[in-house]
Amino acid sequence: MDGTTGGAPTRPPQGVAGAVLLLGVLLAGAAPLIPLAVLVYRYEPELLPLFAVPLAVLVAAWRIARDRARDQLTDPLTDLPNRQALLLAAQEAIAECEQGYSVGLILLDLDRFRSLNDTLGHTAGDRLLVHIARRLHRALRSGGPAGSATRESIDDVFAGLPRHYRRGRPMVARMGGDEFAVLLPGINCPDSLERVAKALIAELAAPIRLDGLLLVLEACGGVCVYPQHAQDAESLLRRADVAMGHAQRGRSGVAQYDETQDADTPYRIELLGDLRRALETGEVQLHYQPKVAFDGRVVGLEALLRWERPGQGKVSPDEFVGLAESSGLMPRLTDYVLEAAVGQLAYWRDQGLQVQVAVNVSPRDVLNPGFAQRVAGHLVRHQVPAHALQLEITERLLLDDSRRAADTLAELRGYGVGMSLDDFGTGHSSLVRLRSLPVGELKIDRSFVSRMVADDHDAAVVRCSVELAHSLGLTVVAEGVEDDETWERLHCMGVDAVQGWLVSAALPAEQATAWLRVHRTGAPPVERLGVPPQLHAGFQPGQGGARPPVRPPTLPPVRPPVRPPAIPPVRPPVTQVVPTGHLEVKAPGPQGWARSGPQ
């Protein structure tokens, strides 16, 4: 490590400076011996060689102290500065920062390194980390290795940085595991720092040959700048980590620090406290959006969260669900949703409405020990058969711990709970993972469905997804259907069911009940089971070593539905509003019920 990327905190003094320091230590340590040496020289000069022993001890002690100081600031695997050295260097850079310039920090994390490490072995993984450390070191020192595919882009990025930066000393550090950091003193703005981060990620993406294998690594990064984003070195490091986490969740490659994504800001802390209280008081509500087949049959409903914060208005589900996931509140929120959804299912079944309800679950929920037992506990408590509940999952959960996820999903399937793969085609899906998931339904993401009429590429993605799913024996549901032309195209492609505003918006429980009464299809009743399949009558959650289920909050009672008036026969295009409280029901269009389904 040279001074270009290492910095003073991580190297003991070398050359002339080291010799001067060693001489000073020897003189300081030998000072008490000087009077004694003078006396020995005067009266017994033959004893002077004995003074070499304490001098040798002083030299050895100095070297041990030097090596210990170096080890405390150096990563033993890559010989890069460690977290403590980076923090010291950031403090020094902030103290020396000139007005008009900033101190930038980039945190880089390798995608799926854990699975690669498990496949190749830890020894090969360590060698890969050393190779990555050297590649980052060379990239910052000279703009990338000769012949690199990204050499020109890195040189261009560095050439665009201010002259003050080019006189500075950037530092590459290893934070631990597969996480690296780059400190850039004198950076002028966050956008320049983001350009550097993207160039470094492109450099890491160059193929690496290891043990005869050609590996291509992907990485994501978070950038944070002093003083725009943080006022001290500790905050700079922590907020760069927040930005990196946001880049990982959004699959965006590089993300700048955004205060709204930080769970430790005053707003987020207050929002988290209000969310905890909302779960206790039942303020968080479930709305239900129908899924219908092209012949008009209601095949199920999806439970969607809605929260209106008292005095603050509605809160986006993406915002408070993401907050719950990052703060550890997600298991409690999931239990709340399951309790409400299964309780609503029990009410509908008592009213003769045989439907299936889908609930979205987080990958963190599935990886939580005892999750399958908790789901079974809700079903047993409300005496609802397992097939009436469907869990919507994403393939992202297999990226963290595929073995545990597969075991949990297999246990849920053994009970009879339905499985649906949500957000298919948004970046996590692959044929290998699709084969390994015990799902019976595939949902095509609304981002493709909503644009398929105007974009032939999106239409091709939808068509291929339908063919792939059907070849694997899966049912296909399209989300985000909002117009007749999209409906027709999906019908021609062989999609099994649709969901979206053309069918119905997400409705509160009372209105969803009225909607189901109006659009009941006369499906044969399903036998009411006392317990889910493969669960014996004496089953209690928590038996067999599983943790007891989280006690759900007290939910507001479900009010009896408003009985709608009789619907007149279908006539050519007439739109009729049926007064059922706040419920509006539209009669089908001119093509009839079999084409347009419930509106």
Side-chain angles (χ1 to χ4, degrees):
M1 172 82 57
D2 59 17
T4 303
T5 57
T10 62
R11 288 181 66 91
Q14 302 288 333
V16 176
V20 172
L21 181 59
L22 175 60
L23 180 60
V25 171
L26 292 177
L27 290 177
L33 300 178
I34 292 177
L36 180 60
V38 171
L39 292 176
V40 170
Y41 176 76
R42 182 176 298 177
Y43 298 105
E44 299 289 343
E46 63 274 10
L47 299 178
L48 281 178
L50 296 178
F51 284 90
V53 175
L55 291 177
V57 172
L58 287 174
V59 172
W62 178 81
R63 287 181 175 175
I64 292 173
R66 180 198 64 181
D67 293 343
R68 183 174 297 175
R70 181 185 60 189
D71 292 343
Q72 290 177 349
L73 297 174
T74 305
D75 175 60
L77 176 63
T78 62
D79 201 34
L80 288 176
N82 61 13
R83 183 186 186 92
Q84 182 63 25
L86 178 75
L87 191 59
L88 293 175
Q91 292 172 347
E92 181 181 350
I94 289 175
E96 297 175 354
C97 184
E98 298 180 5
Q99 186 175 6
Y101 291 96
S102 308
V103 176
L105 181 65
I106 303 171
L107 281 186
L108 300 171
D109 184 78
L110 303 178
D111 293 340
R112 295 183 292 278
F113 179 79
R114 176 186 295 179
S115 59
L116 188 64
N117 199 36
D118 293 340
T119 303
L120 300 179
H122 292 282
T123 301
D126 289 346
R127 289 165 50 207
L128 183 60
L129 289 174
V130 171
H131 188 94
I132 292 169
R134 291 174 180 171
R135 180 173 286 189
L136 287 173
H137 174 81
R138 291 195 302 266
L140 282 178
R141 182 180 61 190
S142 59
S148 169
T150 57
R151 169 72 181 266
E152 183 178 357
S153 64
I154 289 183
D155 285 340
D156 291 343
V157 170
F158 285 2
L161 295 178
R163 186 175 303 173
H164 176 86
Y165 162 74
R166 295 197 292 271
R167 293 201 307 265
R169 290 189 302 176
M171 170 187 281
V172 181
R174 184 187 176 210
M175 308 301 288
D178 59 345
E179 201 171 295
F180 294 85
V182 177
L183 182 70
L184 298 174
I187 202 77
N188 59 342
C189 70
D191 291 339
S192 297
L193 187 64
E194 187 172 345
R195 289 182 62 206
V196 175
K198 290 180 179 178
L200 291 175
I201 289 177
E203 183 69 26
L204 292 179
I208 299 175
R209 188 167 295 278
L210 183 69
D211 295 338
L213 298 175
L214 194 63
L215 305 177
V216 178
L217 299 177
E218 296 180 355
C220 60
V223 300
C224 186
V225 175
Y226 165 90
Q228 289 93 326
H229 299 147
Q231 300 300 315
D232 55 67
E234 286 280 3
S235 298
L236 188 71
L237 188 58
R238 189 191 66 78
R239 293 180 176 180
D241 187 66
V242 171
M244 185 180 69
H246 181 52
Q248 289 174 326
R249 290 188 295 273
R251 310 289 293 180
S252 57
V254 178
Q256 294 186 27
Y257 172 75
D258 184 356
E259 184 178 356
T260 61
Q261 301 291 335
D262 193 344
D264 291 336
T265 60
Y267 169 76
R268 302 275 285 181
I269 293 175
E270 182 183 4
L271 186 65
L272 180 60
D274 288 349
L275 179 58
R276 293 181 186 275
R277 288 189 293 272
L279 294 178
E280 294 173 356
T281 59
E283 291 176 9
V284 179
Q285 299 294 322
L286 261 63
H287 288 197
Y288 299 88
Q289 187 171 37
K291 298 184 288 185
V292 301
F294 288 92
D295 60 2
R297 289 179 299 107
V298 180
V299 299
L301 299 96
E302 180 181 359
L304 300 172
L305 282 170
R306 298 292 184 265
W307 178 31
E308 186 165 354
R309 197 175 173 197
Q312 303 288 334
K314 295 180 180 180
V315 183
S316 167
D318 290 339
E319 183 176 7
F320 69 82
V321 171
L323 178 61
E325 190 163 8
S326 63
S327 64
L329 193 61
M330 198 66 201
R332 183 176 173 185
L333 179 61
T334 301
D335 276 306
Y336 180 97
V337 174
L338 286 170
E339 178 68 15
V342 176
Q344 187 64 45
L345 265 173
Y347 174 78
W348 281 336
R349 294 177 69 81
D350 287 339
Q351 300 298 311
L353 300 173
Q354 308 287 343
V355 293
Q356 185 184 61
V357 170
V359 173
N360 291 275
V361 294
S362 163
R364 188 166 297 184
D365 292 324
V366 178
L367 297 176
N368 198 13
F371 174 71
Q373 295 290 329
R374 298 208 320 270
V375 173
H378 290 290
L379 294 169
V380 171
R381 183 161 46 253
H382 291 281
Q383 296 292 287
V384 171
H387 61 77
L389 177 67
Q390 183 183 63
L391 300 182
E392 294 192 1
I393 60 174
T394 64
E395 286 181 301
R396 184 164 62 92
L397 67 92
L398 293 181
L399 302 179
D400 298 326
D401 193 336
S402 58
R403 183 180 298 274
R404 184 189 299 178
D407 291 344
T408 302
L409 295 179
E411 186 176 0
L412 288 166
R413 281 296 278 178
Y415 293 154
V417 176
M419 293 288 170
S420 176
L421 181 64
D422 198 9
D423 299 333
F424 183 77
T426 56
H428 304 289
S429 301
S430 71
L431 183 58
V432 174
R433 293 195 181 96
L434 186 58
R435 287 175 50 197
S436 64
L437 287 172
V439 299
E441 178 184 280
L442 183 146
K443 299 187 73 173
I444 303 177
D445 189 71
R446 67 178 63 248
S447 61
F448 296 104
V449 175
S450 62
R451 298 193 304 259
M452 62 179 292
V453 172
D455 191 324
D456 292 339
H457 291 89
D458 286 337
V461 170
V462 174
R463 182 181 298 106
C464 292
S465 300
V466 173
E467 294 175 356
L468 172 62
H470 284 168
S471 68
L472 295 175
L474 305 179
T475 300
V476 181
V477 177
E479 297 180 301
V481 180
E482 300 180 358
D483 57 80
D484 289 333
E485 188 173 356
T486 302
W487 172 286
E488 293 289 355
R489 289 203 178 190
L490 292 171
H491 192 190
C492 294
M493 290 180 182
V495 172
D496 300 293
V498 295
Q499 176 181 348
W501 280 81
L502 186 63
V503 177
S504 172
L507 303 171
E510 178 183 344
Q511 295 184 22
T513 303
W515 191 95
L516 286 173
R517 289 183 178 278
V518 172
H519 297 87
R520 69 166 68 205
T521 61
V526 180
E527 180 183 358
R528 183 68 177 273
L529 302 179
V531 294
Q534 300 188 14
L535 295 181
H536 55 80
F539 171 85
Q540 291 294 332
Q543 290 182 353
R547 297 188 303 177
V550 178
R551 181 175 297 278
T554 302
L555 301 178
V558 180
R559 290 176 292 178
V562 178
R563 182 175 299 277
I567 302 297
V570 177
R571 296 183 176 87
V574 173
T575 300
Q576 180 169 351
V577 177
V578 181
T580 56
H582 297 288
L583 173 67
E584 293 185 1
V585 181
K586 296 181 181 179
Q591 288 77 11
W593 177 263
R595 187 199 68 80
S596 61
Q599 300 290 316

